[in-house]
């Protein structure tokens, strides 16, 4: 592709990126000052009053956005757009930078790139042109340019990268140099100044507002309303608004590279670039990963050439085993380019160590070691800016190969890929239709080709009914389908040598959405025939309400769906009384396991509320002329839930998200609430991560403004929680907080999980679990279903209490992922319930609500929140109440 600008014929190197040229006569470096294309535009220093990276100075995100909009108003090569609103209703801005000619034909560029990534379209067009698909794709790639996506500050405290993008955008927009013009000619640069605008505003505004005070300068709470630092752990469940915005950008722009600009700890490498560490998912196309690794090495070369010390690669960030951190875009053909730059003190002040920071020898992975004891924000901005231009320059230097390899070949490979089964079949007849809907929405949103059987069919000897979903793996996103549905067997090959220790992944060891959600999925290895229709959108099945049974009758719903929690919450919001059957019941020949929801038909608004709620959940509703003869739990009227989460507690944030989705009537427990817990709450939920220290020490109120006083420590908080239970309160403690509750309330349990990681480690896997479904906490659960485990607590009961779920008595309990020595858990209890005084306490040693992934376990949460706060009634009491 020819350049618009013919002012020089020199090869563009890292020197050109620095505004340096080679003197033809002397061969020495001479600094030049490239002409500005926008001489009247204020520089960042002029606009903000300081240079990006100046000590103790951070530009507010709102001001950065306004500056970017100003640049776009001044330049025909820059476009600014607010593409969405965030969780807190802030603007989510992006910029597009390219030549004026490219931006004028942007729709055409994106359309051509989408065709390149569509193997079927390429095959049809090539046939029409009388060409082989590869040759046709190569020819088509000459007519377009690739998109290079660059994103900063998804983690809001990693502030240096957004500051650096101010300099990157200004330079691309203003500098009339061979290097900058080639980037704009050969690429469309898509800039996301922050993937978490809410967090950027929280963190930077707080930093600026506390200047000159005695307060700590780092924002102390979740810097996203729900997930805080976990927002890049949502890249396959797509729960958060910002995650869905990102996917929409990926689908529209089909970038060949996504450069994620991160920061790491103060003692980390000054900057880390790919190659990545082991392990590598079998589903990641080798082109995508080798391109990432190559891009990282080019960046290392360019930074070293600039004299930037402390660049490292390899031996870190094994992010390509999981879908949660590898990202959806990896399976579209995007090469993930991660840079991690060391952080400084209090976001913007120099960090000084006791000696050379991270002292290392000169090695292959660190060819130019860092040799100073100090690191500054100015250096973060410099390293980030240089890395950004290096990546841009590398791809701009050979744009057609990136288009051909990443868009055409990666997706074409998926059409003939044989690494997974032929297809995954989701049978039509499932115990939890809401879970099927919830899971299939993920694949629908991810633009997977979904088929649905229009007639019964047989595959590998198993019969499937009409209505079953079919996800074939030989399709452009077939590798992503396999990533999310395969039973994970962690590779023993993830080692540096045969005798070297196994390398565990950066994140968890499985992301099987079917097991998370409680959906039966069949992996069919051999090809089969089935009559199908192409699914255009996943929608809820329409559920007809049964005929009204009369005022003495009742509506009945099965407990076998985690969607039942939405029904209960809707009934509570409407003030409708509801009951849970304590035993099995039969209605018109339909058998219901313990826990069935029974709603008196005579309750005002009962039918109206159920009609609306089942539209969202598609859970069948049955009717009976008389309330079934059974003992029951009468649910409390509008159960008041208190959530103990503490400051910056991400598990508590995820719980808030789930409770908000389900409509739970909850409030976060504040320090001042401990004096009157029983007056305010019926149930208290302790989020995972709530330790005794978090309860008693909390945030130091003298170091933070009054708005954070809610998170201050309460010295007698454990005793207050025990009093709450003894006085009739209901407590649910999840994950590590189970140990806190056990200590505070003197529960008769012993944690039996081994602590020696040389002989026992289960770093995020699914383990077999057996449930006693006669127990209220397990109502509606299957007798056996995997549970999430991440080196959590497991219990032996040493006194009075009830084991609700336990690990199998023998054998390796691993179902999907990696586990070493998991047999040590054989027979141990995971979930247990206890009578404490007049109240009830339920603990779950495992983190059964982890990032909302194990949705099937939400049934246990619903049960524990509502049943424990309810009133037990005998069959005789029920009969007397309803005239049986």
């Amino acid at each position: 592709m020819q350049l618009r600008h013919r002012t020089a014929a020199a090869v563009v190197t890292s020197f050109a990126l620095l505004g340096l040229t080679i003197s033809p006569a002397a061969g020495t470096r001479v600094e030049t000052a490239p002409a500005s294309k926008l001489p009247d535009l204020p520089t960042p220093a002029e606009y903000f009053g300081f240079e990006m990276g100046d000590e103790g100075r951070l530009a507010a995100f709102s001001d950065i956005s306004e500056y970017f909009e100003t640049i776009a108003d001044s330049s025909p090569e820059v476009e600014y757009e607010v593409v969405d609103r965030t969780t807190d209703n802030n603007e989510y801005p992006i910029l597009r930078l390219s030549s004026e000619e490219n931006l004028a034909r942007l729709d055409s560029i994106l359309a051509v790139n989408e065709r390149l990534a569509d193997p079927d379209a390429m095959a049809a067009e090539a046939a029409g042109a009388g060409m082989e698909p590869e040759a046709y794709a190569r020819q088509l790639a000459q007519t377009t340019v690739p998109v290079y996506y660059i994103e900063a500050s998804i983690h809001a405290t990693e502030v240096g990268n957004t500051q650096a993008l101010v300099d990157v955008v200004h330079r691309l927009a203003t500098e009339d140099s061979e290097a900058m013009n080639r980037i704009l000619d050969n690429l469309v640069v898509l800039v996301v100044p922050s993937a978490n605008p809410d967090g950027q505003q929280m963190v930077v505004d707080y930093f600026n507002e506390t200047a000159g005070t005695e307060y700590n300068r780092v924002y102390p709470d979740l810097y996203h309303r729900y997930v805080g630092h976990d927002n890049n752990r949502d890249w396959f469940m797509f729960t958060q608004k910002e995650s869905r915005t990102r996917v929409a950008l990926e689908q529209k722009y089909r970038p060949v590279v996504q450069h994620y600009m991160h920061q790491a700890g103060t003692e980390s490498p000054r900057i880390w670039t790919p190659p990545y560490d082991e392990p590598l998912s079998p589903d990641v196309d080798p082109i995508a990963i080798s391109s990432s690794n190559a891009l990282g090495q080019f960046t290392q070369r360019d930074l070293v050439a600039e004299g930037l010390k402390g660049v490292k690669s390899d031996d870190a960030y094994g992010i390509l085993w999981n879908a949660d951190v590898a990202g959806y875009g990896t399976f579209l053909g995007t090469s993930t380019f991660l840079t991690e730059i060391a952080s400084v003190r209090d976001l913007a002040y120099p960090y000084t160590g006791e000696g050379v920071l991270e002292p290392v020898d000169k090695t292959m992975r660190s060819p130019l070691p860092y040799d100073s004891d100090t690191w500054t924000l100015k250096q973060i901005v410099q390293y980030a800016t240089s890395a950004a231009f290096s990546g841009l320059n590398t791809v701009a230097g050979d744009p057609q190969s990136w288009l051909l390899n990443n868009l055409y070949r990666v997706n074409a490979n998926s059409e003939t890929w044989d690494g997974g089964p032929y297809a995954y079949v989701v049978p039509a007849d499932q115990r939890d239709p809401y879970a099927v809907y919830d899971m299939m929405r993920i694949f629908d949103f991810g633009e997977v080709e979904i088929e649905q059987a229009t007639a019964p069919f047989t595959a590998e000897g198993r019969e499937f009914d009409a209505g079953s979903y079919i996800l074939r793996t030989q399709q452009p996103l077939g590798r992503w389908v396999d990533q999310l549905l395969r039973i994970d067997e962690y590779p023993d090959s993830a080692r540096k040598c045969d005798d070297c220790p196994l390398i565990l992944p950066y994140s968890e060891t499985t992301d099987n959405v079917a097991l998370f959600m409680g959906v039966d999925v069949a992996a069919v290895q051999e090809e089969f025939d089935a009559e199908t229709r192409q699914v255009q959108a996943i929608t809820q099945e329409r559920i007809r309400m049964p005929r009204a049974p009369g005022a003495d009758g009742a509506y009945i719903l099965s407990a076998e769906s985690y969607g039942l929690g939405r029904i209960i919450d809707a009934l509570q919001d409407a003030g409708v009384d509801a009951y849970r059957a304590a035993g099995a019941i039969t209605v018109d020949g339909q058998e219901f396991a313990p826990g069935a929801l029974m709603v008196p038909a005579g309750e005002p608004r009962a039918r109206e509320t159920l009609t609306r709620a089942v539209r969202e959940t598609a859970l069948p509703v049955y009717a009976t002329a008389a309330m079934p003869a059974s003992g029951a739990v009468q649910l409390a009227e509008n159960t008041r839930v208190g959530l103990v989460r503490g400051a910056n507690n991400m598990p508590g944030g995820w719980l808030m998200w789930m409770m908000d989705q389900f409509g739970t009537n909850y409030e976060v427990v504040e320090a001042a609430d401990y004096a009157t817990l029983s007056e305010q709450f019926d149930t208290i939920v302790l989020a995972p991560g709530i330790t005794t220290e978090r309860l008693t020490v909390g945030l130091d109120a003298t170091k933070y403004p009054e708005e954070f006083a809610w998170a201050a420590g309460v010295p007698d908080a454990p005793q207050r929680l025990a009093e709450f239970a003894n006085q009739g309160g209901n407590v649910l403690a999840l994950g590590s907080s189970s140990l806190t509750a056990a200590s505070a309330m003197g529960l008769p349990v012993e944690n039996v999980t081994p602590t020696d990681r040389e002989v026992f480690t289960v770093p995020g896997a699914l383990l077999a679990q057996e449930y006693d479904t006669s127990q209220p906490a397990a109502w509606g659960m299957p007798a056996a279903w995997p549970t999430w485990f991440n080196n959590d607590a497991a219990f032996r009961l040493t006194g009075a209490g009830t084991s609700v779920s336990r690990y199998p008595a023998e054998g390796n309990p691993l179902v999907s992922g990696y586990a070493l020595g998991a047999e040590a858990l054989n027979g141990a209890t995971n979930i247990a319930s206890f009578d404490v005084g007049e109240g009830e306490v339920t603990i779950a040693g495992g983190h059964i609500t982890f990032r909302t992934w194990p949705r099937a376990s939400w049934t246990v949460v619903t049960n524990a929140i509502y049943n424990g706060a309810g009133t037990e009634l005998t069959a005789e009491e029920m009969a007397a109440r309803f005239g049986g």
Side-chain angles (χ1 to χ4, degrees), residues 12 96 179 223 225 240 273 323 347 377 400 408 415 445 540 601 683 697 738 752 781 807:
V12 180
R96 293 177 291 268
Y223 38 77
R225 185 196 302 181
Q240 301 304 302
T273 71
L347 304 181
L377 178 62
Q400 274 66 52
Y408 173 69
E415 291 278 280
F445 184 68
Q540 281 284 42
T683 294
V697 178
S738 62
V752 298
M781 289 298 292
Y807 300 98

Side-chain angles (χ1 to χ4, degrees), residues 369-426:
Y370 196 67
D371 57 4
S372 171
D373 66 352
T374 301
W375 182 246
T376 67
L377 178 62
K378 183 73 78 174
Q379 288 174 291
I380 292 175
V381 170
Q382 179 187 18
Y383 278 55
T385 302
S386 294
F389 280 120
S390 174
L392 290 165
N393 184 56
T394 297
V395 178
D398 191 9
Q400 274 66 52
S401 76
W402 285 86
L403 286 163
L404 192 66
N405 285 321
N406 285 62
L407 292 191
Y408 173 69
R409 287 180 177 145
V410 167
N411 288 285
N413 288 349
S414 295
E415 291 278 280
T416 57
W417 174 70
D418 60 359
Y422 172 72
Y424 288 95
V425 178
V426 183

